Amino acid sequence: MESAIEAQSFMGFEIKSSEASLARQIEKSEIVTRPTIEDTEMTLQENQQYCTSEIVSQIGKQSSSLSSELKSSENNLSAHIKTSAIDARRTIDDRLMEVKENQQDCTTKIVSQIGKQTSSLSSELKSSENNLPALIENSAIDNRRTIEDTEMALQENQQDCTTEIMSQIRQQTSSLSSELKSSETNIAAYIEKSEICTRSTIEDTEMALKENQQDCTTEIVFQIRQHTSSLSSEMKSTRRAIESLCRKTDHHIAVAKHVNVDFSNNKDSENRTSTSKDEPLTKCQDVRERLIQFYTTTKKTVSVSPLRESRDKPIWDVFVQPKLSNVTIEKDGTRKKTENPVHQYKALFYKDEKLNSRVYVQGEPGMGKTTFLTKLALDWCDAVSEHNPAYKATFSDADTLKEFQFLFQISLRDATDQRDVIEMIKTQLIDMIYTGDKREETVKLLPHILEREKYIVTMDGLNEWVDRLNKCVLPLLPKFHTQCVSVIASRPWKMADERIKDSEINSLIEIEGIIDPQDLAKKVINSLQTGNVNTHSEFIKYVKERELMHLLTSPWLHTLLVNLWMNKMALSSSLCEINCILLDILFKNAHGKKGYFQKGNSFRCLSNTRFIQRQIDIFDALANAAFNFTFSSSKSLVFTERELLNFLSEDQLEFCLHAGVLTKRYSFIVTDQDAQFSFIHETVQEFMAAFHIANSKQDFITQFRIGFKHNVLEMSQIIIYLCGLDCKTANKLIHCLVDGEFLKDISHGMRIYIKGFYNQQHFRKTAERIENVLKSKHNQMDSNARCFLLSVLFQRMIIAGCIEAKASGEKELCLNCRDFTFNTNLTESDSNALKLLLLYNRSDVRSLILESNCLQISEILAVIHKSKHSLVNVKITMTPEISKAIHHSSIQELNCIGQFDVSSCSCVLPSLSQLTYLRMEDTSFLEDIVLPDTIQQIDLSKCECSFEWLCSLLITLSSLDHPVECKLWNVVLQSSEGDESHTHASELRSEILSQNMSNIEIFVENGSKELFELLRDTSIGILNLSTADCASLASEILHTLNRLTKLFLWGIYTGRCDLKLPASLQCISLQEGVCSSEWLCSLLITLSSLDRPVECDLWHVVLQSSEETRGDESDANVSVVRSEKLSHDLSNIAISVDNGSKELFELLRDTSIGTLNLITADCASLASEILHTLNRLTRLYLWGIYTGRCDLKLPASLQCISLLEGGCSSEWLCSLLITLSSLDRPVECDLWNVVLQSSEETHGDESDANVSVVRSEIVSHDLSNIAISVDNGSKELFELLRDTSIGTLNLITADCASLASEILHTLNRLTRLYLWGIYTGRCDLKLPALLQCISLLEGGCSSEWLCSLLITLSSLGRPVECDLRNVVLQSSEETRGDESDANVSDLRSEILTHDLCNIQISVDNGRKELFELLRDTSIGILDLRTADCASLTSEILYTLNRLTKLFLAGTYTGRCDLKLPASLQCIILPKVKCAPEWLCSLLIMLSSLDRPVECELWDVVLQSSEETGGDESDANVSVVRSEILSHDLSNIVISVDNGSIELFELLRDTSIGTLNLITADCASLASEIFHTLNRLTKLYLLGTYTGRCDLKLPASLQCIILAVVKCTPEWLCSLLITLSSLDHRVKCELWDVVLQSSEEIRGDESHTYVFDLRSEILSHDMSNIEILVNKGSKELFELLRDTSIGILNLPTADCASLASEILHTLNRLTELFLWGIYTGRCDLKLPATLQCIRLQNGRCSSEWLSSLLVTLSSLNHPVQCVLFDIVLQSSEETRRYESDSHASDLRSEILSHDLSNIEIVVKNLSAELFELLRGTSIGSLMLLIVH
């Protein structure tokens, strides 16, 4: 008990003594009071279930006093609380530890001691709280973990509280809750920030209380009741705001711990647990403090002398604010520097209040990237520690840095062998601030910090780091570190790496040196001298005199110049000299020996050095090393000692390190031997590499490996240095590094500049540098920008090289350059240098742009004169002298600047035989100009001309035989005066209307009514209107432009669209502009009225809201026009959208548009909600990048979806295919240039899991309705298709086919495969078994490949088509020479041994080699698409001994010389134009075959004699006609579709055996010659027939077949009458005949006529006719009623059922054929004349057959019943038990009838049949046995 009392006394003393230390800790604390009170309220509500009844009464008595005390506490808080809560962690922890150590001997007396100590504790707390308001300033770090650890300690000591306390708390909570809520409302007004998540803390505390309230004694309850008053007084203090929520709870818990300690058996274990849980937070704080100490001690200085790195000064003494600018990434991928500089850290780290996870800081060498990141680290140290009032941060909002608990600064040049950021932090930071075991413990703690804390990691020198596995572009940092900001510094060229995606760049900052260069000069000068001996103004004057101002943009060069100046060194402006002096001074500092170069025997830049000559071997060795490290496979800026010793000796290395030319740094994960080395600066390394190239006698240049074609720009600094050392070598290097395509791109950039795409402003220095130039080409605009930037950057490099060469004293300026742009943005020195280059290259100038007056007229004329043969692109102010000079030059693009005399160039322009582009500005045209025929575009800007002049110009342009553009910018039409002028204008109007101007595209800006009236009724093809005013003026004449196909609109459009569009329009394109919903709706309605497909392009169109137009009135109009739009058919419209909006797509909802083209993924996302409502949409085009699962809701009408350039995830593509498979129709999916993103690019492991799920799903779906086309596919794409059931695959390149080869055989539903490209070697395609057709489209293949393909196809056990379209067979020379010939020979032998009769080969544009390959093969079908193919194949046709079918197309003349194989069964002429002679000779040839053969003439046009050879042709036809009549053609079946009278005349009197007429027109044409076909036995008819049949049938006819016929009863009756006139048996087969009703033809008159025919047909003897009916109708059989047909053949039971009613009326019927299935009782009413009934190939029940026999027995004459292949159904198959009873009755009946008149003939019948006949009285039984 005494120890407990001492413990309580010690607590009071401890609180007093810790107040001072508590105040120090409170300075940075902060209370999150609002969530604290809310959570406390919830805690109290949930804890009130366990309080005892006694504490309830005590608390009830004190409620009123507590309420008043709480209100007064709130008033005190409002005056004192500025920020948030107290970090009482250490105080509470220490107190708990001390209390725990004294808890072992506590007894029940502790309760009374608690009461005695309460008053003293209260007074101590009050005194503490008086000082508290003045001490609270900020929030402490890690309060959350402090409370969490405290709670975890409490949890282990709260297991035995009683249920009585819980019940008391539950009863009293309501009053406390209401008071706490009112307190919360007032306190909330004073809370400024919230940082720590206290909610979870209090909830856990509540759980701790619950666990501690199980075993408390009644005595504790009594003591608590006695001392409630003292507790209430404590709540008055300010500490209640903190302690009422935290410490008051802790106090109660401490009391509980004192009581419960007797029940604890493991105090030591508890203490260890508590200590271990405190350790992470303690260590985190320790890590942060050590980082701050490390940065402030190691980063606080910066070198102020590149001459001596060790000469450093405090960074704040020389630091000047950097010039930072935001760089925006445009939608087309280009990057542009904005005019908004970065002046705040918040602008750097946040965007729209959202944390930027990646901030890239790009800048050229020496621009201050490293210094900026170092200053950022120091700013953070100052912000999160004790603030130094004298410290000046980079930005004014340094407090933003307080939000970040940690900052890790990494140098990537020191991490070349590392891939993981955590590993870099360990080696560069943790290993520096810890040793031994603490280092390892901190390494283990690091992931905990990175996962839970908000921190910054800066990475300096991304361009100096390369992933050793060459997989990652950035060091690895887990993506789930969502509270991390990565600040990455790099050179701009590294940002061109395509692996750095635009979407991953949250912020891109350009550092362009410093804001105030002169301030830097002041500070550096002051830091390097004592007193004011030198002033910065003297330095600036010195630099200006030597034209070195451009070097001051780089802080590093700036500092170097200051140092050199202060060392009194005389300088030229040569960068080479500066580097040499720098190195010379460094060599001097290393005590190098003095020596001088002899003038003329060394490079000039070395002539003023004193310490290099005696160390020249070291200098050369360094240059050699620099060269090799720079031009290695991957440029290296950091290297090991082992690598350096390949070029330097150990002594040389030691000298370089001592001099400071090389720096040495250690990595703490490698040994000393593997320390990291680098040059003092990258520019020094580049200079040394250039020096090695210039100084070496070896020809290194030709050995350079070109990594990619534009690396000449990346190497620009080396090239500039090389210009100063050896200009000739530099020129050679440039030409080695550029290729033809690069030069073409530069030329294109010059052309688009001349055409006005870009102006002089684009030449200014922007953020668009090398990184933009190297980006991929996505569209034409991107390509234009890229080529323009190439030309600008290349010229900048050449100018810099020229300046360097001049400054270095190079005697001969031998830099070759062909493109020159002079404008006002060039400095004087740049212009002078470019002028020197121009004059040096004046004999080979390609582009000359003169926008500034830098050249004398004589110089210009000299250049033009010398470069007449090469001058292509010219922009120049035109003068008479220049006009004369360009005469007969090779100029292709000409831009005439300013006003000039048109007459002076009137004779010049026609002489420019290659001119394609002409632009003229500010000129008045009074007389016509003559243009060369090559002109393709003419631009008139701010010109004046007459009506007549413009008419003449358009007439001239219309006479050109190619498309031409005419741009009219601000052109003013002068009115004509006088009658003569009017007459001339009228004549010109007539002439212009008579001209075809559809080749002209006219652009108009600021046009006039007169201008558009001039265009009225003309036939221009394209019109581009740049403003809405132009469109308004043109509206009246648009509909008159009857050849207009394209219309471009720009501007703002409102109201209803009143454009009257011409019927010829094919495309309307809305470029940048704004329109109202009403206008766009009405435009679509207008387009729908065109009876042709039309495109509507919406590029960058903004839809105005109704508020922007006319409010409610506009809404009403839009509603009306929307309803109107939905009622129109828009399926002819193809809409393309770029930068669409939700409102735009809502406008399209439920419309019937036919095609939709979405240019971006954002558009697709916006359109997703309305796609399924587009019920007429057939084609959907998508561009962009898609990830996640495809959620497009596609309409059922979709026929094709095309993914054009872009990318998608595997998951997205799989789900798209699944969606397409749900469509119940064939659908195409085109994948053009689609890149499949890897899982790392999407969601990592999560994405892999999703792909696996969706893969399983896609394999389970039927994709056979999908045709997939792939261009530029990848292995991953085809793996995605493995095992799927796609139906068609189209592979656009041979590479695609190669990639797909491995998965083809797994596509078990693939029926069609299309191949494009060139194939060589042996065909290794593994084809699926179900393949029906493989098509080789445009491309080529080797003989070996094609042979092996045919062999592969022959192995398929089914018919397959091989379609060869425009396939070129490569010769052996093109493949592998003799080796290839041997392979082909072997394959030829192999192909002849294979059976290819299952293959149909179709050939279009074949060659002789191809057909020779087929010689002697066993192909079954050959399809020749052209006459040339037939001609080439003629020599090998007869060798195709298994050929059964031959297709021919094309034009054929002369005599047919095809040598047909004996196996041929059918020849088909699908689309053929041929001479009669050819067709006759073909039929003669077919007649020579000793087997039936078909000749199908589908669409054959017979040429007239005039088309062939006139009289000679007629004579040939006469001869061949005589010949054909002498041949027996009865083996030929001729089918004719789209025949002509000439064709049938050709067949007159021939002996063909079968004729098939596909249409009624053919039958009509053939009618006249039918009767002459004296060997015709079979005639097929198809089509629709009306009226009376007037066919004159030959006497030889044995069968007429109506296959698919629609005819009138009249026609059919008259046909039967005609057939009855034949004097032999004839068969009439009605396969699919539909009888037209009389209403369909002639009404009542037809009825009368049919009645007459019925009478006539009944009067004729038709017993010679056998009629077969398939798919008959009741009307058809009614037509046969009472007729005298002799034989009736019914192939189906349905026909028998329909015929049943009329059978008994057929009084001459002798034979009846039945086919099909018959059940039940036979109800056929047979005629008395029947002699034979035949049942063939069918099924019937016993009941039916029995009743049939009974019916036959009733005939009073012998009758035959033939049963051929009849299956007798069992009773189970009919009616089970009921059928059995029927059969029994029928058996009795059949036995009772006399069947002796029946002869039964049986073939292939069963035992059941004979059982049926058992005991019957049949008279005759014939059994036919088939062997």
Side-chain angles (χ1 to χ4, degrees), residues 647-931:
F647 308 101
L648 286 83
S649 67
E650 291 187 4
D651 291 341
Q652 290 174 335
L653 178 58
E654 188 66 27
F655 177 86
C656 292
L657 288 173
H658 184 61
V661 179
L662 295 177
T663 61
K664 179 179 181 180
R665 299 183 185 184
Y666 287 97
S667 171
F668 294 96
I669 59 172
V670 295
T671 62
D672 181 68
Q673 288 79 4
D674 290 327
Q676 296 175 338
F677 294 80
S678 62
F679 280 89
I680 186 175
H681 196 274
E682 184 178 351
T683 55
V684 175
Q685 180 176 336
E686 290 172 330
F687 168 72
M688 296 301 290
F691 180 84
H692 182 72
I693 297 172
N695 190 47
S696 177
K697 296 180 180 180
Q698 299 181 40
D699 187 6
F700 290 111
I701 293 177
T702 57
Q703 302 174 19
F704 288 150
R705 181 180 66 83
I706 301 178
F708 52 94
K709 65 177 180 180
H710 297 310
N711 62 354
V712 63
L713 296 177
E714 291 184 70
M715 295 169 59
S716 59
Q717 194 61 46
I718 294 176
I719 291 172
I720 292 168
Y721 284 136
L722 195 54
C723 287
L725 295 167
D726 187 341
C727 203
K728 287 184 178 179
T729 303
N731 188 59
K732 186 176 180 182
L733 176 60
I734 292 171
H735 284 274
C736 178
L737 293 177
V738 300
D739 58 11
E741 186 175 352
F742 178 80
L743 296 174
K744 286 180 182 177
D745 287 343
I746 291 179
S747 179
H748 179 68
M750 304 302 288
R751 287 199 299 270
I752 62 173
Y753 183 73
I754 284 176
K755 291 182 179 180
F757 281 76
Y758 302 95
N759 53 39
Q760 296 188 34
Q761 301 301 319
H762 292 85
F763 269 90
R764 292 181 179 175
K765 190 174 182 182
T766 67
E768 295 180 303
R769 298 191 182 172
I770 301 173
E771 70 274 13
N772 288 325
V773 180
L774 303 180
K775 286 290 183 181
S776 296
K777 305 176 187 178
H778 292 298
N779 52 49
Q780 186 59 38
M781 186 173 292
D782 284 349
S783 176
N784 287 341
R786 175 180 157 278
C787 292
F788 169 70
L789 289 169
L790 267 180
S791 64
V792 174
L793 292 173
F794 188 73
Q795 176 167 298
R796 283 181 186 170
M797 182 188 74
I798 294 295
I799 289 175
C802 177
I803 292 173
E804 181 62 21
K806 181 182 176 184
S808 297
E810 280 289 288
K811 296 178 181 179
E812 187 176 358
L813 190 65
C814 50
L815 286 176
N816 294 130
C817 183
R818 303 190 66 199
D819 305 289
F820 299 87
T821 300
F822 292 86
N823 57 43
T824 55
N825 289 293
L826 295 178
T827 64
E828 184 178 355
S829 60
D830 287 350
S831 296
N832 291 335
L834 193 60
K835 180 178 177 180
L836 284 175
L837 285 167
L838 176 62
L839 297 177
Y840 175 77
N841 292 279
R842 60 189 173 190
S843 297
D844 191 29
V845 176
R846 178 173 60 181
S847 303
L848 182 61
I849 298 175
L850 301 176
E851 295 178 328
S852 61
N853 299 321
C854 299
L855 298 176
Q856 299 294 327
I857 188 66
S858 59
E859 294 171 332
I860 298 173
L861 294 175
V863 170
I864 294 175
H865 176 72
K866 292 286 186 179
S867 295
K868 266 193 175 184
H869 65 287
S870 60
L871 207 55
V872 173
N873 312 307
V874 176
K875 184 175 184 180
I876 198 168
T877 301
M878 193 65 68
T879 66
E881 296 86 353
I882 292 175
S883 295
K884 185 177 180 181
I886 65 173
H887 197 271
H888 285 300
S889 65
S890 58
I891 295 175
Q892 295 178 14
E893 281 88 21
L894 177 61
N895 187 332
C896 303
I897 304 173
Q899 190 166 5
F900 66 97
D901 184 5
V902 177
S903 62
S904 65
C905 67
S906 59
C907 62
V908 173
L909 292 177
S911 72
L912 304 179
S913 59
Q914 299 182 48
L915 187 69
T916 58
Y917 174 81
L918 175 63
R919 180 184 179 94
M920 292 177 282
E921 303 173 353
D922 301 310
T923 301
S924 296
F925 295 97
L926 302 176
E927 55 185 80
D928 292 344
I929 59 173
V930 181
L931 299 174

Side-chain angles (χ1 to χ4, degrees), residues 849-1020:
I849 298 175
L850 301 176
E851 295 178 328
S852 61
N853 299 321
C854 299
L855 298 176
Q856 299 294 327
I857 188 66
S858 59
E859 294 171 332
I860 298 173
L861 294 175
V863 170
I864 294 175
H865 176 72
K866 292 286 186 179
S867 295
K868 266 193 175 184
H869 65 287
S870 60
L871 207 55
V872 173
N873 312 307
V874 176
K875 184 175 184 180
I876 198 168
T877 301
M878 193 65 68
T879 66
E881 296 86 353
I882 292 175
S883 295
K884 185 177 180 181
I886 65 173
H887 197 271
H888 285 300
S889 65
S890 58
I891 295 175
Q892 295 178 14
E893 281 88 21
L894 177 61
N895 187 332
C896 303
I897 304 173
Q899 190 166 5
F900 66 97
D901 184 5
V902 177
S903 62
S904 65
C905 67
S906 59
C907 62
V908 173
L909 292 177
S911 72
L912 304 179
S913 59
Q914 299 182 48
L915 187 69
T916 58
Y917 174 81
L918 175 63
R919 180 184 179 94
M920 292 177 282
E921 303 173 353
D922 301 310
T923 301
S924 296
F925 295 97
L926 302 176
E927 55 185 80
D928 292 344
I929 59 173
V930 181
L931 299 174
D933 292 340
T934 55
I935 196 74
Q936 296 175 12
Q937 181 176 335
I938 181 169
D939 292 0
L940 305 178
S941 178
K942 300 176 183 177
C943 294
E944 291 186 2
C945 65
S946 65
F947 178 95
E948 296 86 348
W949 186 91
L950 187 54
C951 279
S952 298
L953 174 64
L954 294 177
I955 291 170
T956 300
L957 296 178
S958 71
S959 66
L960 302 175
D961 59 356
H962 58 264
V964 60
E965 299 176 18
C966 179
K967 296 187 177 182
L968 308 175
W969 306 135
N970 300 291
V971 171
V972 177
L973 272 188
Q974 296 170 327
S975 59
S976 55
E977 299 178 359
D979 295 337
E980 183 179 348
S981 178
H982 282 298
T983 303
H984 184 51
S986 178
E987 292 173 352
L988 281 171
R989 274 287 296 162
S990 301
E991 185 177 356
I992 201 173
L993 296 180
S994 66
Q995 299 289 322
N996 181 6
M997 301 170 61
S998 59
N999 65 320
I1000 303 177
E1001 177 177 357
I1002 295 181
F1003 293 73
V1004 182
E1005 181 175 354
N1006 293 338
S1008 62
K1009 186 174 182 180
E1010 293 75 15
L1011 172 62
F1012 290 110
E1013 280 299 323
L1014 185 141
L1015 299 177
R1016 179 183 288 274
D1017 295 314
T1018 58
S1019 54
I1020 58 172

